[in-house]
Every structure is written in C-alpha cells, then in structure tokens.
C-alpha cells in the first residue's frame, strides 16, 4: 500500500509496544557486510535510537513520549514494508548497548512502486549514436582517471520507470537493477512520509523525529573503504577514496559519473561545477600572474614611483598633516615603499586584465551552460522538475485549505491562501532588510574605528620609531595607514564570521516560515536570502575602501568630520588601491583558512578523539552500521554552504579583480585543494549523504549571472575612481604633451598635489609640533585638484579636476558598453545546448513515444480480436 496519502488515513489507536514485531538479531561478526544476516537482503537505510528502557528511572518518564512515537513510527513502516530488521551490538564505548540500530531493506515490489512514483528513469535500449572522438584524446587521457581502474559506463536511452511495463526495461539482475543510491533515495522518501502520530493531528517524517530527539541518526551505509581480497573488484567508495580523494590526483579530472552514481546527482552536479570553475580559473590565473609579473618588474621604472622616491623631488615635497593637532608634516618620499608596491597593481596591464576578466566570466558561464546541458542528458535530469520533484513533507503537513487548481480544474489542498503567503513573504523580506541594515551599521562602526585609530597610530608610531633606533628600518613599511588598514581588516573579518553564524539560523527560520512547496523552492529561497546577506557582509568593507574612502575629505583648512568629531580618512598619495588589495588578501586568505579549519580539521579531530576513546576501552569488532554512526553527520544544508563558499570566492575573483590580479591564482590553488579535501572529508570523515536529484545548480546560476553583470561596473569604477589610471592618462594626453615634446610622465606627482597655506589652518586643526626641516616653510601639499591660495577661487576645485571627472565617467560608459556588447554577442553565438545532446534527446523521446504507442496498441489488441470474432460470427449468421 502507498503511504503517500496521509490525509486519508483512518485514525488508529495508539500502537502498543510490540517487541515481537521487531526481530532482534545478533551481529554476525562480519564488519564489512552491507546486508542482513542472510547476506541476501541489502541494507538500504539505518535508523538509530536509544533504548528508553535502559535509562535511569527518573529519566524514563520524560522520554516516554519518545518511546510511543518510535513504536508508532516503526509500526507504520512495518505495515507497509515487511523487510525491516532491528539488531543491536553492545560494547563498552561511546556507542554502547543503549543504542538500537534499525536496518531497513526495500523489497523488489516496493522499489518498483516508488521508482514509478518518483519517475526514476531506467534504461530501455543501448545508446546507438556514435560518440564524439576528440583529436587530442591521446593528450587529454593523461588528465583523466585510468579506465582500467574506473571503467567507463555503458550509455543507455532511458525512460521513466513503469511497473506494468517491466518487460520493456533492460532488467538483467533484479538485485542490481536499482543502484544503491536509488534504493537509499526511495527509502528516505518513504521514511520522510511515514506517520508517527496518526491520532488527532497527523505528524510524520524522520526529520521531525530527528529534530525531536526520538532518533539519534538516520543514514544510508557507506561501502567498505578497502578491498577485502586483491582479486576482488573495487567497490565504489574505495575507488573514490583512491582516485578522487587522493591529493596526488590534483591535476586530474574528477570521476563525475562515479560520484553521481555513489552520492546522487545533486552532489555530482556541485563537483562538476566546481571542477569546471577550477578548470576555467587556470586561464584567468595565468593572465593575472603575467600582469603581476609585469607590474613587479616595472615598479622601479615607473616615472611617478621614481618621483616619489627621489630625494630631490619627493624628499622636497612637504605634505600636510593627516589628522588634527597631534599629526605633523611629513615628506612625500616616506611613502616610497608603498608607492612601489602600488605600481605592481596599478599599471596599464591592470586595465587589460580587468577587460579580459569581464570577457572570461561570460565565457565561463556560457560554456558551463553547455557542459551542464550534457550532464543533464547523461544523468537523466532533463525533465526532472516537471516530472519527478515531489512536495516537501513539511509542506504537505500544512495543507489544510482547499482551492481550485487553475490548470487541472480540480480541487487541491494548499497550506495557506493568497493573503497568508503575502504575509509570510513580507515578514521574510523585512527580516532580511533588517539584518542587512545591521551589517551596514557594523561597517559604519569599523569606519569610525579606522578614523579613531588612525589618529592613535599616527602619534604612537611616530613616537616609538623616533625613540627606538632599531625600528627606523620599518618606517617605510609600518605606516599609520597600513597599520589602520590591517587591524580594521582583521576586525571586519571577525565581525563577518560572527554575523554569519547568527544570520544563518535566522535565514533558515524565515525560510521554514515561508513554507516553500518543493525542496528546490526551499533551497532557492534560502540561497537568495543567504547570498544577499553574505554579499553585504563580505563585500561592504571592500566597497567602502574602493568607492568611498578618501572621496569626501575636504582640504586641510576645512576637513570633513564624521559625527562632528572624527576626521574623514584620506587615501595614500598613491591612492586607495593598495589598501583595497590588502583588504582582499586578508579576507580571501582568512576565509580560506577558517573554512578549512571548520570543514576539515574539526570533523577529523572529533572522529580521532572518538576512535581513541573507543580503542582505550574495547577492541571489539564493530559492524558496518556502527562504524558509520561514529562518523560525523552531514547537516541538512551541507552542500549549500559549499556552494556559498565558492560563489563568495567567485565574487572576489570578479568584482574586485582590477585591484588584485593574483585573486584568480589564489582561488585556483584554493580550489585544487578544496576539491580533494572535500572528497576526503565526504569519503572518510562524514556519513554517507542521502542521494538527491538535481537538474542544475539552481538559484546559484542566476546569482552568478548577476555577479558577472555587476563585475563590469565595479571593475570599471575601480579603475576610474580608485586607481590613478585616468588621471595619468589625462596628464599624458593633455598636460604632458603641452609642456614637452617627448610625452613623458615627468611632473605627474607635482601635478596631483595642491598647495595649502599653513596660516590658513584653524586653531582646532593646527599641528602642535613641527619637524626641524619644516621651520621656514609657509605651505604644505595635499592630494587634490584645487586652486592655490591667493587665487580668487582659492581651495575650490579647479578646471583640471572637472576634466578628470569627465574622463572617468566617459571611461566607465565606454568600457561598459564595449564589454556588455561583447558579452551579448558571445552569449548569442554560443548555444546553450550542444547539437549532439539535442540529437540524443530527440532520439530518446522518439524511443519513449514508440514504446508508449506499442503499449497502447497492445492494450487495444484484445478488443480488436473480439470485434473481429463478432464480425465473423455475424457474417456467418447472415450467410
């Protein structure tokens, strides 16, 4: 019988404790067995709960409700699936004789029933279309796992399984017709809809029982991570462990078909996307590295950098104080080291690289669509959303209102009416906006910190270096601005991590409250909420440094103050680009280290401690299901965080790449490590995840498209407003050509600095101390384009400033239009689905239609035979 229709169940009395129905068997001493004791029935799922009768007397009463729910749940499953065995194994370990392991096996009839319900596609005919042969296959073969170890699977044409058409499917062996991942998926589907409180309000689902503490765990079994005999063919987990999780295979492509077969399409599509993204990063990393090398070797030949470091030029330019009273005058050549570092990243190669990355991200997304379309066909997910995906149990439980389906014109049950859905969505949107506002407040707090601490560093660093001779060599490296940037970046990183932990729970609660219908709808809704939050959380500090810092500072005699107290920050004379580079390096590096600690080190330490404690007390052999229980559980949204981590990294690689050409290289190295570490974690440290279907990467595709479009704007704005690229070009093509005939950049630094008369300082901002070399000076310089003192419009923006603004805006508009037109042409020229995949889909649909027509004709044949007999009899009677 089908357990899907819960609303029509007849209320039954509370089931009694029926231990006779749950056969308890002893462990057969085979630690690698994946079968029942008869070694014929495969274990498709394992449930773990604690024996309430062995608890202390005081605690037994509190857990009586758990016992009743557990009995009801198992009774319901037993009434629908007769292949269920319960066994326990006691040992003096953390997992002791109080734990009961329930092993579930789905018989053939149940598998056929739910394969049809879930529209699982099964083979109907061998693929007879010729496969493509690459002319470089002899070279490409070196980057793929050996086919002698991981055999290439036979390709089939498939059709949705139908129980009454079994003869038309290629069933060679009933025990192996449905793969273990398919069996586990069907078992999880049944367990997610089994009732545990049929009396009164219907409650069902293993997820609720896990959340309520009735069950300790529910998971499918891993294969053995070793070969029992040398002559034995390797199992899937062993192959994944040796070929996929092996760090020495970092240069090889992943065995995606085997990953999909073992873990399901959802995990397979994630690693396919991650591998493709990593592969495409190789080109971006190579070009970025070339730009970095070019900047590194030309840093000392840069005209503006040489002018800053020249004692006769930069050493004779006296700069105005950067803060009020306590700060003093300083020479421009003290920023020589910073200027040379800036020249590495702020050069003409950066402009070329930024345009290249805008084209690269378009090619990446378009080629990924083609690759994804091929995987959709090969993995039988082309029509997944329209045929297979079922409503979530949580959604079905809330369906109490009736409405008329506008498509079928039949009544159906829904959890709420129109107003209820609008109310829930409004509540969710309001909560997300509140948390985004909270992030903005935290960013403002960090900005205030920067303003306050810069003053302290300016005083303390100057005093310490002045009195300690050993620190004098550090004057070019440890500047007040650098110290402020580094500490503020670290504080931003800590705030980001704290807000992540808190908002994660809030986002899940909001999405649960909205009650999406399907698992895909749920994940898409949560994805959008989490990414909006993470976007503001991770990128806000970079956006501030890139587009706001140093833009509205006034001039020395009339600076701009925050909150009427804190003087606004100024950029280094070379610009804020080096600070943005530092910010990106700290956040990307810190995030990668933190994620590896959280995802790899913690599970490994927990498992190691658990094994050590167990080995100290007992050397008994553990069964397969108890070995897997000792592994770390995978959260409901485990794969979601993997996507989020990579998409945030994708944002750093694309949105701010104009300031940090090494970002693709760092991402490439991180991803090569990430793939193998994730593979090792999933195959050795975590329980086997429940296999799930997925057609594509879901809402992440639209997010990547949005990031790609935004990246064009941000990189153009960084080059225009954060770097000195446009002022240099304006100087080269206007001022330099007018002053000399050799068209050099000489005099550029002097041209970018305005003059301020020190007698125009207010009492509040007048420096208290002056260095000895400044005694006879009457003016100082500051970074801006303003009229000098004595001019009838002194300290106002000069005409050159407006020329530069016009050039910056023109640059953004021209670059955006060129790049967007190029992106549109590439998107149109590259088809989303390869022609060969289209042919295979048409061929498969033709075979499916032919099969359906044949079955329909077969159904009409008995009727036609009877009509023919009656017609013959009638002719004979008439004759």
């Amino acid at each position: 019988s089908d357990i899907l229709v819960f609303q029509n169940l007849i209320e039954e009395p509370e089931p009694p404790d029926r231990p006779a129905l749950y056969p308890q068997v002893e462990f057969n001493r085979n630690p690698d067995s994946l079968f029942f004791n008869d070694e014929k029935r495969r274990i498709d799922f394992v449930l773990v709960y604690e024996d309430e009768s062995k608890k202390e007397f005081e605690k037994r009463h509190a857990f009586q409700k758990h016992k009743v729910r557990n009995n009801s749940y198992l009774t319901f499953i037993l009434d629908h699936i007769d292949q269920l065995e319960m066994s326990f194994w006691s040992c003096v370990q953390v997992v002791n004789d109080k734990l009961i392991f329930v092993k579930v096996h789905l018989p053939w009839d149940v598998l056929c029933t739910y394969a049809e319900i879930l529209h699982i596609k099964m083979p109907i005919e061998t693929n007879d279309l010729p496969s493509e042969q690459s002319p470089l296959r002899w070279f490409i073969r070196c980057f793929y796992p050996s086919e002698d170890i991981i055999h290439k699977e036979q390709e089939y044409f498939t059709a949705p399984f139908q129980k009454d058409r079994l003869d038309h499917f290629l069933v060679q062996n009933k025990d192996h017709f449905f793969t273990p991942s398919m069996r586990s998926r069907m078992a999880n589907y049944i367990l997610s809809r089994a009732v545990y409180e049929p009396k009164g309000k219907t409650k069902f689902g293993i997820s609720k029982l896990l959340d309520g503490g009735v069950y300790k765990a529910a998971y499918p079994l891993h294969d053995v991570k070793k070969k029992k005999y040398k002559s034995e063919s390797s199992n899937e987990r062993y192959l994944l462990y040796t070929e996929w999780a092996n760090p020495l295979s970092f240069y090889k492509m992943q065995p995606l078909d085997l990953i999909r077969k073992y873990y399901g399409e959802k995990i397979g599509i994630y690693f396919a996307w991650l591998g493709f993204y990593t592969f495409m990063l190789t080109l971006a990393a190579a070009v970025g590295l070339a730009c970095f090398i070019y900047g590194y070797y030309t840093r000392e030949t840069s005209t503006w950098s040489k002018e800053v470091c020249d004692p006769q030029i930069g050493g004779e330019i006296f700069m105005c104080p950067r803060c009020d009273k306590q700060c003093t005058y300083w020479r421009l050549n003290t920023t020589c080291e910073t200027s040379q570092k800036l020249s590495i990243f702020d050069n003409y190669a950066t402009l070329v690289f930024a345009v290249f990355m805008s084209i690269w991200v378009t090619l990446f997304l378009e080629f990924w669509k083609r690759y994804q379309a091929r995987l959709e066909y090969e993995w039988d997910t082309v029509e997944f959303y329209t045929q297979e995906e079922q409503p979530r149990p949580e959604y079905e439980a809330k369906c109490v209102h009736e409405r008329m389906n506008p498509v079928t014109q039949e009544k159906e049950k829904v959890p709420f009416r129109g107003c209820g859905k609008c109310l829930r969505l409004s509540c969710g949107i309001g909560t997300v906006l509140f948390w985004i506002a909270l992030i903005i407040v935290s960013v403002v707090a960090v900005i205030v910190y920067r303003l306050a601490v810069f003053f302290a560093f300016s005083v303390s660093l100057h005093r310490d270096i002045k009195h300690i001779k050993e620190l004098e060599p550090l004057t070019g490296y440890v500047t007040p601005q650098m110290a402020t940037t580094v500490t503020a970046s670290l504080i931003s990183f800590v705030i980001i991590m704290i807000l992540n932990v808190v908002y994660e729970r809030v986002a899940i609660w909001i999405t649960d409250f909205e009650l999406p219908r399907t698992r895909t709808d749920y994940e898409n809704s949560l994805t959008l909420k989490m990414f909006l939050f993470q976007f503001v959380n991770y990128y806000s500090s970079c956006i501030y440094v890139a587009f706001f810092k140093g833009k509205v500072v006034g001039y020395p005699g009339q600076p701009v103050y925050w909150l009427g107290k804190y003087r606004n920050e100024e950029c280094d004379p070379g610009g804020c680009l080096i600070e943005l580079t530092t910010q990106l390096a700290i956040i990307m590096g810190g995030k990668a280290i933190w994620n590896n600690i959280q995802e790899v080190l913690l599970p490994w330490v927990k498992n190691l401690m658990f094994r050590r404690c167990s080995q100290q007390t007992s050397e008994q052999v553990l069964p397969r299901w108890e070995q897997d229980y000792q592994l770390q559980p995978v959260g409901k949204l485990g794969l979601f965080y993997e996507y989020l981590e990579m998409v945030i990294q994708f944002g750093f690689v694309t949105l701010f790449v104009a300031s940090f050409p090494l970002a693709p290289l760092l991402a490439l190295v991180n991803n090569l490590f990430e793939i193998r570490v994730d593979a090792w974690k999933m195959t050795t440290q975590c329980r086997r995840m429940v296999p799930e279907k997925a057609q594509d990467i879901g809402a992440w595709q639209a997010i990547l498209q949005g990031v790609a479009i935004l990246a064009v704007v941000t990189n153009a704005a960084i080059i225009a407003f954060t770097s000195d690229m446009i002022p240099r070009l304006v100087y080269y093509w206007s001022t330099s050509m007018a002053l000399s005939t050799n068209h050099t950049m000489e005099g550029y630094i002097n041209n970018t600095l305005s003059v301020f008369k020190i007698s125009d300082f207010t009492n509040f901002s007048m420096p208290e101390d002056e260095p000895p070399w400044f005694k006879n000076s009457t003016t100082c310089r500051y970074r801006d384009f303003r009229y000098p003192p004595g001019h009838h419009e002194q300290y106002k923006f000069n005409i050159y400033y407006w020329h530069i603004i016009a050039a910056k805006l023109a640059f953004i508009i021209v670059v955006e239009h060129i790049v967007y037109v190029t992106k549109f042409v590439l998107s149109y020229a590259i088809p989303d689905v390869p022609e060969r995949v289209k042919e295979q889909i048409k061929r498969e649909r033709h075979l499916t239609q032919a099969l359906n027509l044949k079955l329909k004709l077969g159904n009409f044949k008995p009727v036609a035979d009877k009509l023919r007999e009656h017609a013959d009899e009638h002719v004979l009677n008439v004759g």
Side-chain angles (χ1 to χ4, degrees), residues 163-194:
K163 193 175 182 179
D164 56 350
R165 302 179 181 181
L166 188 60
D167 295 339
H168 297 85
F169 292 89
L170 301 180
V171 183
Q172 298 176 354
N173 187 334
K174 289 185 177 181
D175 294 334
H176 299 92
F177 181 62
F178 297 106
T179 64
S181 62
M182 292 179 182
R183 300 173 67 103
S184 299
R185 180 181 164 214
M186 287 186 272
N188 181 69
Y189 183 84
I190 295 171
L191 295 172
S192 297
R193 286 156 174 79

Side-chain angles (χ1 to χ4, degrees), residues 395-457:
Y395 178 89
E396 291 179 324
K398 301 290 185 179
C399 290
V400 294
H401 302 287
E402 286 189 352
R403 73 156 190 173
M404 185 68 68
N405 190 306
V407 178
T408 62
Q409 293 299 312
E410 296 178 357
K411 289 185 177 181
E412 65 176 3
K413 292 198 175 228
V414 293
F416 38 69
R417 296 185 175 91
C419 294
K421 186 175 183 179
C422 291
L423 180 63
R424 290 169 182 261
L425 290 176
S426 300
C427 181
I429 293 172
T431 306
V432 172
L433 293 177
F434 168 77
W435 277 88
I436 290 177
L438 187 63
I439 300 174
I440 296 174
V441 170
S442 68
V443 172
V444 173
V446 173
I447 293 173
V448 173
Y449 163 83
R450 296 172 68 106
L451 302 178
V453 166
F454 176 76
F455 171 78
F457 279 139

Side-chain angles (χ1 to χ4, degrees), residues 319-360:
M319 303 297 294
C320 298
R322 295 177 179 174
C323 64
D324 297 327
K325 290 189 177 182
Q326 298 297 327
C327 296
T328 186
Y329 304 96
W330 51 284
R331 296 179 187 270
L332 181 61
N333 65 348
T334 57
T335 61
C336 177
E337 292 290 338
T338 304
S339 179
Q340 290 183 346
K341 292 177 185 176
L342 181 64
S343 299
I344 299 175
F345 302 100
D346 191 3
N347 51 65
Y348 297 119
T350 303
L351 173 60
V352 176
F353 185 60
V355 176
F356 165 80
M357 286 300 296
S358 300
I359 306 301
W360 173 87

Side-chain angles (χ1 to χ4, degrees), residues 558-614:
Q558 192 176 349
V560 176
Y561 292 93
W562 277 64
L563 306 177
K565 180 179 180 182
Y566 300 104
R567 181 170 171 173
N568 205 357
E569 280 187 289
E570 298 180 22
C571 290
D572 188 88
C576 285
L577 195 68
I578 191 65
E579 295 184 40
L580 180 59
T581 303
T582 305
Q583 186 95 350
L584 283 172
I586 289 177
I587 293 180
M588 285 188 69
K591 187 174 180 295
I593 295 173
W594 173 262
N595 286 334
N596 286 325
I597 291 175
Q598 193 175 29
E599 296 178 6
V600 179
L601 187 59
L602 289 181
W604 179 77
V605 170
K606 289 180 180 179
N607 289 336
L608 180 63
M609 292 176 61
F610 191 88
R611 288 193 295 268
R612 289 288 177 88
C613 294
S614 301

Side-chain angles (χ1 to χ4, degrees), residues 517-535:
R517 182 177 182 273
T518 64
R519 181 72 178 177
T520 300
D521 294 337
Y522 181 90
E523 292 183 354
N524 289 346
S525 177
L526 182 61
T527 296
L528 183 60
K529 294 182 184 65
M530 287 294 293
F531 181 76
L532 286 175
F533 176 83
Q534 298 283 9
F535 182 89

Side-chain angles (χ1 to χ4, degrees), residues 708-727:
I709 294 173
L710 185 60
V712 178
V713 180
T714 56
N715 284 296
I718 287 173
I719 293 174
F721 291 102
T722 309
S723 75
D724 261 10
M725 185 73 62
I726 303 303

Side-chain angles (χ1 to χ4, degrees), residues 213-497:
V214 178
Y215 281 96
K216 296 290 184 182
Y219 52 89
L221 287 181
H222 267 301
D223 283 347
V224 185
K225 199 182 66 178
K226 61 182 178 181
K227 286 196 295 186
K228 192 173 181 181
Y229 305 105
K230 290 186 178 180
S231 59
E232 182 185 28
S233 60
S234 301
N235 60 59
E236 294 172 359
R237 187 189 184 194
Y238 177 78
L239 290 175
L240 290 173
Y241 175 69
T242 55
E243 296 296 320
W244 181 40
N246 188 351
L248 298 179
S249 302
F250 72 93
Y251 64 93
K252 291 185 178 181
M253 304 298 285
Q254 303 175 83
L256 294 176
D257 289 333
L258 186 60
I259 297 171
R260 171 250 181 172
K261 184 179 178 182
Y262 189 75
Y263 286 109
E265 288 77 7
K266 190 171 186 179
I267 293 179
I269 199 71
Y270 164 73
F271 281 103
W273 175 82
L274 179 57
F276 186 82
Y277 168 50
T278 304
F279 172 76
M280 290 293 292
L281 276 174
T282 55
L283 178 60
V287 177
L289 181 61
C291 292
F292 175 80
I293 294 174
Y294 169 82
Y296 181 81
Y297 282 104
T298 59
R299 72 189 190 282
E300 294 184 357
T301 61
S302 171
T303 304
W304 52 88
S305 179
K306 289 194 295 184
E307 288 186 351
V308 171
C309 299
D310 191 343
Q312 302 300 321
I313 302 176
E316 297 300 324
I317 297 178
F318 305 147
M319 303 297 294
C320 298
R322 295 177 179 174
C323 64
D324 297 327
K325 290 189 177 182
Q326 298 297 327
C327 296
T328 186
Y329 304 96
W330 51 284
R331 296 179 187 270
L332 181 61
N333 65 348
T334 57
T335 61
C336 177
E337 292 290 338
T338 304
S339 179
Q340 290 183 346
K341 292 177 185 176
L342 181 64
S343 299
I344 299 175
F345 302 100
D346 191 3
N347 51 65
Y348 297 119
T350 303
L351 173 60
V352 176
F353 185 60
V355 176
F356 165 80
M357 286 300 296
S358 300
I359 306 301
W360 173 87
V361 72
T362 303
L363 294 175
F364 162 65
L365 293 175
E366 292 303 319
F367 284 126
W368 164 247
K369 290 179 185 177
R370 291 173 59 84
Y371 187 53
Q372 183 175 252
R374 182 163 66 85
L375 291 178
E376 286 178 17
Y377 169 74
E378 293 177 354
W379 293 355
D380 299 321
T381 61
V382 174
E383 298 176 347
F384 166 62
Y385 290 141
T386 58
Q387 290 187 353
E388 297 184 34
E389 195 164 23
Q390 303 292 329
R392 296 188 309 130
E394 295 84 357
Y395 178 89
E396 291 179 324
K398 301 290 185 179
C399 290
V400 294
H401 302 287
E402 286 189 352
R403 73 156 190 173
M404 185 68 68
N405 190 306
V407 178
T408 62
Q409 293 299 312
E410 296 178 357
K411 289 185 177 181
E412 65 176 3
K413 292 198 175 228
V414 293
F416 38 69
R417 296 185 175 91
C419 294
K421 186 175 183 179
C422 291
L423 180 63
R424 290 169 182 261
L425 290 176
S426 300
C427 181
I429 293 172
T431 306
V432 172
L433 293 177
F434 168 77
W435 277 88
I436 290 177
L438 187 63
I439 300 174
I440 296 174
V441 170
S442 68
V443 172
V444 173
V446 173
I447 293 173
V448 173
Y449 163 83
R450 296 172 68 106
L451 302 178
V453 166
F454 176 76
F455 171 78
F457 279 139
S458 299
V459 176
S460 59
L461 289 177
H462 176 74
R463 183 182 62 249
D464 294 341
I465 293 176
K466 183 177 180 181
H467 290 89
I468 303 176
K469 293 184 178 180
E470 289 79 2
L471 298 179
E472 288 183 1
L474 299 178
T475 54
Y477 300 93
V478 185
T479 62
Q481 281 189 324
M482 181 59 67
T484 302
T485 299
V486 172
T487 56
S489 300
L490 293 174
I491 292 174
S492 296
F493 175 73
V494 173
I495 293 176
I496 286 171
M497 291 297 132

